[in-house]
Amino acid sequence: MRGFALAATLVLACTAHETRAEWFEDTQAIMGTRVHAELWHDDPAVARRLLEAVMTEMRRIDHTYSTHREDSELSALNRAAPHGWVEVSAEMIDLLSRSRRMSELSGGAFDVTYASVGRYYDYRAGRRPDDETVRKAVEAIDYRHVEIDADGRRVRYRHPAVYVDLGGIAKGYAVDRAIGLLQSAAITHAAVSAGGDSRILGDRFGEPWTVGVRDPRHEGQVSVLLPLVDTAVSTSGDYERYFDEDGVRYHHIIDPDTGRSARSSWSVTIVGPDATLTDGLSTSVFVLGPERGMALIDRLPGVDAIIIDSDGKLHYSADLQPLAEPAR
Ligand code: AMP
Ligand code: MG
């Protein structure tokens, strides 16, 4: 179970107020994952319109930043930027700049150029690059190869084999955009999730929302339940996109130093103020592993983590320990 354990139980029919407000929700397959949004409103027509606007925004972000689409802005950038400056949108500058800050914060564990090697994995087909391909392509992994001219709104790559993928931050960003849209429509109780990235607005009428951290080795089971209010939460796990070969798991979170799947965690859950941050941090801490990852989280005020290491042991950041309840 991922994201919200709660969706099905949240259809409250009426309120303590005079109005006939209720929960409205929608779930769609976007960005290669399950996008879910729910909100509390007293006007069904307005609620439906807002949910549609959320899904439209999610689709826009997918169309702009997917590397699976030849016609996305990111694919155009990947084709042209190894050869020189490319004009990009202000939003692309913003996303690449945020990614760069996450790289600096994580000492390079988060690196959107991971895809210079990552592009050679096909998890569905069970294909991975051979050692020689990894050895060569790993040289192109370095976030400093992506030169951002924010004033000139242009980008170039400083190495010919650089390939950028924003998969480590785009879902969180999309969730934040959706929440921003709901906030500007004066919504005060809502939840939006895209795969493992979620954000909650408000509470459930005096009660916290309950978010389950999935058991990384038993599908359908939950390791920890987190009561949360007005916050973002992201989980990165090695069970999302992977294949097993000769007892080794090849999965989608790549250590930029080696070009191979990061090995020291099974899953990382981050709780923090916004989903772009928690998304980037969940990927970063996954790569860093329990010790260095928790040291990073301890330096960040208002951010917490649950790390399930590669022995299945749970590590909590200091503030989260009393909040989290074992699910079993
Ligand atoms: P998440 O589920 O948020 O951890 O994101 C995983 C996705 O992030 C992968 O599917 C890749 O698209 C991307 N990714 C993998 N490794 C890295 C890395 N070291 N730095 C940044 N993004 C990465
Ligand atoms: Mg992430």
Side-chain angles (χ1 to χ4, degrees):
M1 192 202 58
R2 322 209 38 206
F4 297 107
L6 39 130
T9 58
L10 271 185
V11 188
L12 310 181
C14 61
T15 69
H17 318 290
E18 300 279 286
T19 58
R20 295 180 53 80
E22 58 184 305
W23 288 102
F24 295 87
E25 63 173 307
D26 192 12
T27 305
Q28 293 192 23
I30 306 175
M31 301 198 286
T33 194
R34 176 183 173 275
V35 172
H36 177 77
E38 60 190 292
L39 57 92
W40 181 256
H41 209 282
D42 56 12
D43 184 335
V46 175
R48 291 277 154 228
R49 228 174 23 243
L50 285 171
L51 288 172
E52 194 41 51
V54 162
M55 297 301 170
T56 301
E57 176 63 0
M58 295 283 189
R59 266 184 241 110
R60 181 192 69 80
I61 291 169
D62 183 38
H63 286 193
T64 314
Y65 300 105
S66 170
T67 52
H68 300 294
R69 295 170 185 272
E70 288 291 306
D71 60 349
S72 71
E73 187 186 357
L74 182 55
S75 290
L77 182 67
N78 275 329
R79 281 192 297 270
H83 310 293
W85 289 110
V86 180
E87 268 183 51
V88 295
S89 62
E91 190 181 45
M92 179 73 87
I93 293 284
D94 180 42
L95 271 175
L96 289 174
S97 303
R98 287 190 202 207
S99 298
R100 191 186 175 96
R101 285 198 291 277
M102 185 53 66
S103 299
E104 287 163 355
L105 186 68
S106 65
F110 186 91
D111 191 322
V112 293
T113 68
Y114 86 93
S116 310
V117 175
R119 64 189 305 198
Y120 298 111
Y121 287 84
D122 183 338
Y123 302 101
R124 264 193 214 150
R127 261 203 307 273
R128 63 189 173 90
D130 59 30
D131 290 350
E132 181 59 12
T133 307
V134 174
R135 197 184 57 75
K136 274 199 193 139
V138 82
E139 285 175 22
I141 303 183
D142 188 334
Y143 63 90
R144 285 160 293 213
H145 288 328
V146 178
E147 196 176 346
I148 305 169
D149 172 9
D151 294 335
R153 261 226 228 145
R154 50 187 200 153
V155 173
R156 72 175 168 186
Y157 299 165
R158 286 207 181 116
H159 186 289
V162 168
Y163 188 87
V164 166
D165 190 303
L166 293 170
I169 202 169
K171 291 201 292 290
Y173 175 71
V175 166
D176 281 339
R177 291 281 303 184
I179 288 288
L181 197 151
L182 296 179
Q183 280 174 316
S184 53
I187 299 297
T188 51
H189 295 79
V192 177
S193 67
D197 302 294
S198 311
R199 188 156 156 199
I200 293 160
L201 262 189
D203 62 10
R204 288 172 59 197
F205 305 100
E207 295 289 320
W209 298 73
T210 308
V211 174
V213 175
R214 177 185 148 156
D215 179 330
R217 287 298 178 269
H218 298 96
E219 207 178 339
Q221 293 186 32
V222 172
S223 293
V224 183
L225 290 173
L226 291 170
L228 298 174
V229 171
D230 240 337
T231 197
V233 54
S234 291
T235 297
S236 292
D238 70 355
Y239 47 80
E240 277 296 324
R241 263 174 236 152
Y242 71 94
F243 62 92
D244 291 322
E245 190 185 297
D246 300 330
V248 179
R249 176 156 300 194
Y250 297 92
H251 67 83
H252 68 141
I253 302 172
I254 303 294
D255 183 337
D257 284 340
T258 62
R260 299 172 199 280
S261 304
R263 294 259 165 255
S264 41
S265 320
W266 282 350
S267 91
V268 171
T269 298
I270 305 285
V271 180
D274 70 71
T276 313
L277 180 72
T278 57
D279 190 5
L281 278 175
S282 69
T283 311
S284 305
V285 171
F286 192 104
V287 171
L288 288 169
E291 228 168 83
R292 288 187 301 153
M294 206 54 99
L296 169 62
I297 295 305
D298 286 341
R299 292 204 322 262
L300 301 175
V303 177
D304 279 289
I306 299 174
I307 304 174
I308 305 183
D309 70 21
S310 54
D311 293 321
K313 186 169 176 269
L314 276 82
H315 306 251
Y316 296 90
S317 61
D319 293 346
L320 212 52
Q321 185 86 56
L323 258 187
E325 347 165 349
R328 283 169 283 146

